[in-house]
């Protein structure tokens, strides 16, 4: 598949990196020579220096042969213009990164597809949605929903009080007569290796384990993991950025009690006007006295989404030291992304990584309808729609020669989430979620084509 990416920033580079692993034919366009030079040195891709809104540059990239054109520069206007031009010049499908979340809310009304833009991606909107999901699943560090919660991916680190420490997956499953969750990936403490668990895999203290759950499974996991579920109601947000505003707006609509701390008076006044249900404080959130005055220790969650990664990390650590149960920090630097557990913050989120992973699903084969990479793990979740003539249709899972480096995480049938075991029969129309290591993706896809 020929894919052209406009923008060699972190989103574009990360996308190009993911796609180059898939042996896709990638062309990367950017105006900055240094960014292109770095990408060209580290990835097996073609690079073109130039403006993605230039017809000559697009033709040089052979836009007429592109199956997918992705515009992810830092300029919303450039992305929209480039996608419109790319479509007119022959690109089969286009995706534009935008910052104005209104465009997504009114996508159907405006009719972006009519002007040549097939999909809109907003990193800010994705980050706000990720934060809300993390708050609704308190106690878990990673979350991802399929089909509005019919199945939910939940990640946690196993403490020594967990019921299933030193038990095998099979022994842990026997603790419940009706299984509503299944482990799909494990990373041992202190290692970078991802394990796809089998029945004889043993849970160890300190393991980071990703589970797939259907309705009720999160409650069982809380009980087994030794965690106490605490309702999150009072939330403090540091930073009135687009993400801070969108997060506060969504949380207020969900009946959370929200405080926003913003250092710029003009921005704070606008927030107070636009968010009547939130309490807006004008002050420097790095100031310990201000946080103490605003009773940060009484908060159930602290979310730092300023434009400075270091400020977000340090303020979350401060909030954690004051007894705040859940801390989430927005980081721009990809290098920080690996640090969340080791430095004591519950979750780090990177809006560019969220955007890149969201876009990545569009290049999949075999009717893949959703995809996400597991945070800090070398594994992916893929959601397929089973076709009547797929190799997997009307087969029992235990009879399939499925790769050992992949596992069935869940099935959605008629809107209901199910946890499939060996005797489960896959049917046409099922939505099947598979967790697999990168090396087995191509083989897994053959079962659904």
């Amino acid at each position: 598949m020929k894919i052209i990416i406009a923008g060699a920033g972190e989103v574009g580079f990360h996308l190009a990196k993911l796609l180059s692993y898939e042996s896709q034919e990638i062309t990367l366009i950017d105006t900055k020579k240094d960014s292109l030079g770095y990408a060209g040195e580290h990835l097996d891709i073609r690079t073109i220096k130039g403006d993605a809104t230039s017809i000559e540059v697009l033709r040089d990239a052979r836009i007429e042969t592109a199956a997918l054109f992705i515009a992810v520069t830092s300029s919303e206007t450039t992305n929209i213009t480039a996608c419109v031009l790319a479509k007119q010049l022959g690109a089969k499908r286009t995706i534009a990164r935008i910052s104005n979340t209104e465009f997504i809310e009114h996508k159907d009304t405006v009719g972006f597809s009519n002007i040549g833009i097939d999909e809109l991606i907003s990193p800010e909107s994705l980050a706000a949605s990720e934060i809300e999901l993390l708050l609704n699943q308190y106690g878990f560090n990673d979350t991802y929903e399929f089909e509005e919660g019919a199945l939910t991916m939940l990640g946690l680190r196993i403490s020594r009080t967990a019921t299933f420490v030193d038990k095998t997956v099979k022994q842990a499953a026997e603790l419940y007569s009706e299984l509503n969750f299944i482990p799909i990936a494990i990373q041992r403490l202190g290692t970078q290796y991802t394990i796809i668990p089998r029945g004889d895999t043993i849970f160890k203290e300190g393991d980071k384990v990703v589970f797939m759950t259907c309705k009720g499974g999160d409650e069982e996991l809380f009980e087994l993991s030794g965690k106490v579920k605490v309702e999150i109601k009072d939330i403090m947000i540091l930073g009135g950025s687009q993400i801070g505003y969108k997060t506060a707006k969504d949380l207020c609509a969900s009946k959370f009690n929200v405080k926003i701390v913003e250092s710029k008076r003009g921005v704070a006044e606008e927030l107070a006007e636009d968010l009547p249900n939130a309490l807006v404080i004008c002050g420097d959130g790095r100031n310990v006295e201000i946080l103490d005055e605003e009773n940060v220790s009484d908060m159930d969650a602290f979310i730092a989404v300023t434009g400075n990664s270091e400020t977000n990390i340090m303020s979350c650590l401060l909030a954690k030291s004051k007894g705040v149960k859940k801390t989430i920090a927005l980081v721009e630097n990809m290098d920080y992304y690996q640090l969340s557990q080791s430095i004591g913050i519950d979750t780090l989120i990177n809006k560019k990584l969220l955007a890149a992973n969201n876009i990545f699903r569009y290049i999949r084969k075999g009717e893949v309808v959703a995809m996400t990479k597991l945070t800090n793990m070398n594994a992916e979740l893929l959601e397929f729609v089973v076709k009547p003539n797929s190799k997997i249709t009307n087969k029992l899972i235990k009879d399939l020669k499925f790769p050992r480096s992949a596992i069935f995480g869940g099935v959605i049938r008629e809107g209901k989430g199910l946890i499939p075991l060996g005797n489960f029969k896959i049917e046409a129309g099922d939505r099947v979620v598979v967790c697999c290591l990168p090396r087995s993706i191509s083989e897994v896809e053959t079962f659904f084509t």
Side-chain angles (χ1 to χ4, degrees):
M1 181 188 290
K2 180 174 175 55
I3 301 170
I4 299 173
I5 301 171
E10 285 190 317
V11 177
F13 178 80
H14 185 67
L15 264 176
K17 182 179 178 182
L18 293 176
L19 295 170
S20 65
Y21 291 158
E22 301 289 311
S23 300
Q24 307 291 345
E25 184 185 345
I26 309 299
T27 299
L28 186 62
I29 302 172
D30 201 282
T31 55
K32 296 177 181 176
K33 186 178 180 180
D34 290 347
S35 297
L36 289 176
Y38 182 83
E41 288 174 11
H42 291 81
L43 305 174
D44 183 19
I45 61 173
R46 181 189 178 201
T47 60
I48 296 176
K49 183 179 180 298
D51 187 341
T53 61
S54 163
I55 294 174
E56 186 178 334
V57 168
L58 290 175
R59 282 181 171 158
D60 183 29
R62 295 173 51 233
I63 190 67
E64 71 280 359
T65 65
L68 183 62
F69 178 83
I70 307 168
V72 288
T73 74
S74 57
S75 168
E76 178 178 77
T77 305
T78 297
N79 296 337
I80 291 173
T81 305
C83 280
V84 172
L85 289 172
K87 193 75 167 187
Q88 292 298 318
L89 292 171
K92 291 183 176 62
R93 192 167 182 80
T94 62
I95 301 172
R97 170 189 174 183
I98 53 135
S99 54
N100 187 347
T101 56
E102 272 191 336
F103 288 162
I104 291 179
E105 293 167 7
H106 302 288
K107 183 171 66 173
D108 296 331
T109 306
V110 175
F112 282 94
S113 58
N114 296 331
I115 62 172
I117 304 172
D118 296 303
E119 297 290 341
L120 297 169
I121 298 291
S122 166
E124 291 77 17
S125 183
L126 289 169
S129 297
E130 178 81 356
I131 289 168
E132 186 173 9
L133 184 57
L134 285 164
L135 292 176
N136 287 327
Q137 296 289 355
Y138 168 71
F140 299 106
N141 301 322
D142 304 307
T143 58
Y144 189 87
E145 283 189 345
F146 294 88
E147 290 298 293
E148 298 180 349
L151 290 172
T152 304
M153 179 205 83
L154 300 170
L156 57 82
R157 195 167 291 279
I158 297 179
S159 63
R160 63 183 173 78
T161 58
T163 307
F164 45 72
V165 167
D166 295 329
K167 288 185 170 62
T168 65
V169 169
K170 186 176 180 181
Q171 289 170 334
E174 289 170 353
L175 296 172
Y176 282 90
S177 56
E178 185 177 338
L179 194 65
N180 291 314
F181 64 89
I182 187 172
I184 57 173
I186 297 175
Q187 186 181 67
R188 299 292 190 203
L189 183 64
T191 74
Q192 293 297 314
Y193 298 107
T194 300
I195 301 168
I196 299 297
R198 298 292 161 186
D200 59 354
T201 303
I202 298 173
F203 292 108
K204 296 289 187 181
E205 180 184 345
D207 282 353
K208 179 184 177 183
V209 186
V210 178
F211 294 89
M212 187 64 69
T213 76
C214 55
K215 299 292 185 184
D218 57 338
E219 300 288 346
E220 294 174 359
L221 273 178
F222 265 114
E223 187 176 327
L224 281 171
S225 65
K227 294 179 180 290
V228 178
K229 191 162 187 177
V230 179
E231 183 184 14
I232 289 184
K233 198 67 182 171
D234 299 314
I235 299 167
M236 182 177 287
I237 299 173
L238 178 62
S241 61
Q242 283 183 307
I243 295 176
Y245 170 77
K246 182 76 167 61
T247 301
K249 184 179 178 182
D250 293 346
L251 293 177
C252 285
S254 299
K255 308 302 181 186
F256 287 96
N257 300 322
V258 179
K259 283 185 180 180
I260 308 176
V261 180
E262 167 57 48
S263 58
K264 296 176 183 175
R265 178 164 294 279
V267 175
E269 289 173 351
E270 288 181 13
L271 288 170
E273 188 175 330
D274 293 342
L275 299 169
N277 295 324
L279 176 61
V280 181
I281 297 111
C282 183
D284 188 344
R286 296 171 297 182
N287 188 317
V288 179
E289 291 181 2
I290 288 179
L291 293 182
D292 281 338
E293 285 175 12
E294 297 304 328
N295 302 316
V296 67
S297 58
D298 294 334
M299 296 294 112
D300 299 315
F302 184 89
I303 304 164
V305 288
T306 73
N308 186 290
S309 300
E310 290 78 12
T311 295
N312 295 339
I313 290 171
M314 294 307 296
S315 59
C316 277
L317 290 174
L318 176 60
K320 203 71 177 175
S321 72
K322 298 289 185 179
V324 177
K325 296 181 283 290
K326 183 79 170 179
T327 54
I328 301 171
L330 176 73
V331 293
E332 292 294 312
N333 191 330
M334 293 282 197
D335 295 334
Y336 291 152
Y337 202 58
Q338 304 279 348
L339 299 176
S340 58
Q341 295 299 320
S342 60
I343 63 176
I345 296 173
D346 294 304
T347 309
L348 297 180
I349 60 172
N350 182 292
K351 63 182 181 182
K352 295 171 183 175
L353 188 62
L354 287 171
N357 288 343
N358 194 274
I359 292 169
F360 192 38
R361 73 177 191 266
Y362 291 105
I363 59 94
R364 290 299 187 194
K365 298 172 286 185
E367 295 296 311
V368 175
V369 292
M371 173 271 163
T372 184
K373 288 187 74 66
L374 302 185
T375 304
N376 297 344
M377 284 193 178
N378 187 35
E380 297 179 9
L381 280 181
L382 303 171
E383 181 185 359
F384 298 88
V385 174
V386 180
K387 296 184 286 191
N389 58 346
S390 296
K391 294 178 186 176
I392 204 169
T393 308
N394 295 323
K395 301 281 197 325
L396 296 179
I397 288 177
K398 66 180 181 182
D399 295 335
L400 297 168
K401 293 183 179 178
F402 215 58
R404 296 281 296 175
S405 52
I407 186 172
F408 287 91
V411 173
I412 300 170
R413 181 176 292 168
E414 297 178 354
K416 183 180 179 183
L418 306 167
I419 300 299
L421 301 178
N423 290 318
F424 189 92
K425 181 185 283 189
I426 304 293
E427 297 178 0
D430 284 350
R431 301 172 84 91
V432 177
V433 179
V434 176
C435 180
C436 59
L437 302 184
R439 67 173 182 267
S440 60
I441 290 174
S442 296
E443 186 180 354
V444 167
E445 287 176 336
T446 63
F447 284 85
F448 295 90
T449 52

